[in-house]
Amino acid sequence: EPIVGVNVMEKSKKTLKMIGICIIGLVIVVAVNMLKKPEDPFKNADGAKLGYQHVEESNILNSKDYDSYYVYFYETGNEKCKDTNEVVKSYVRGKSSIYVFNMEEAKDIKTGKDFDYKNITDYKDITVKQVPMLIHVENKKIDHVYYKASDIKKVLD
């Protein structure tokens, strides 16, 4: 009879070992996913005909293609941008006069609260208050700025 007891002990040790290995595996998977840089939501698929128009920082107020257009500022992996990204994506499907700009690529554009957009003629004077942010550019000047996700949605609906 004592033999049966030994077998039970062996089995539970094996089970514990397996559970331990599973937990370690899970921890590794979670860690890898957290360290992985989030994917740019506006990354164009290779060979996509209708892609997202990324704009160079220096051309934000100076589109070669349009006199009147939007520029959407975002950051990859930013929770606040998630909903707005989807709105922008569906807007892009219908119209071409919108550019996207990833704030992680900004060199001269500042972030901060003070932003008098009415007199800006140089992209270096643009201040992004927060992301997501949408600006409307008309004749090389910013004529509207939208900060709140709800406002951005309204404009692009």
Side-chain angles (χ1 to χ4, degrees), residues 44-120:
N44 286 315
D46 297 331
K49 274 195 185 74
L50 271 172
Y52 302 109
Q53 301 183 94
H54 290 262
V55 64
E56 287 296 315
E57 197 172 31
S58 53
N59 291 334
I60 286 177
L61 297 178
N62 193 13
S63 163
K64 293 175 289 298
D65 304 308
Y66 315 104
D67 295 325
S68 172
Y69 57 93
Y70 291 106
V71 180
Y72 174 66
F73 297 88
Y74 69 98
E75 281 169 4
T76 54
N78 186 313
E79 280 300 313
K80 287 196 191 116
C81 294
K82 276 207 170 118
D83 290 348
T84 331
N85 289 350
E86 293 313 307
V87 174
V88 170
K89 283 179 181 181
S90 56
Y91 183 84
V92 169
R93 283 184 205 111
K95 302 178 186 60
S96 52
S97 56
I98 183 164
Y99 293 98
V100 292
F101 183 77
N102 187 343
M103 277 305 288
E104 289 146 278
E105 289 161 19
K107 289 174 201 70
D108 296 314
I109 290 180
K110 299 172 290 300
T111 51
K113 298 266 176 278
D114 309 321
F115 183 29
D116 171 22
Y117 66 87
K118 287 198 165 34
N119 302 313
I120 288 178

Side-chain angles (χ1 to χ4, degrees), residues 125-153:
D125 297 329
I126 294 174
T127 302
V128 173
K129 191 168 161 187
Q130 64 192 52
V131 291
M133 179 172 121
L134 182 76
I135 62 173
H136 186 260
V137 180
E138 184 95 41
N139 302 320
K140 305 196 187 323
K141 286 198 162 110
I142 299 172
D143 70 348
H144 263 94
V145 179
Y146 308 92
Y147 301 113
K148 294 213 302 280
S150 54
D151 291 345
I152 294 174
K153 283 179 185 163

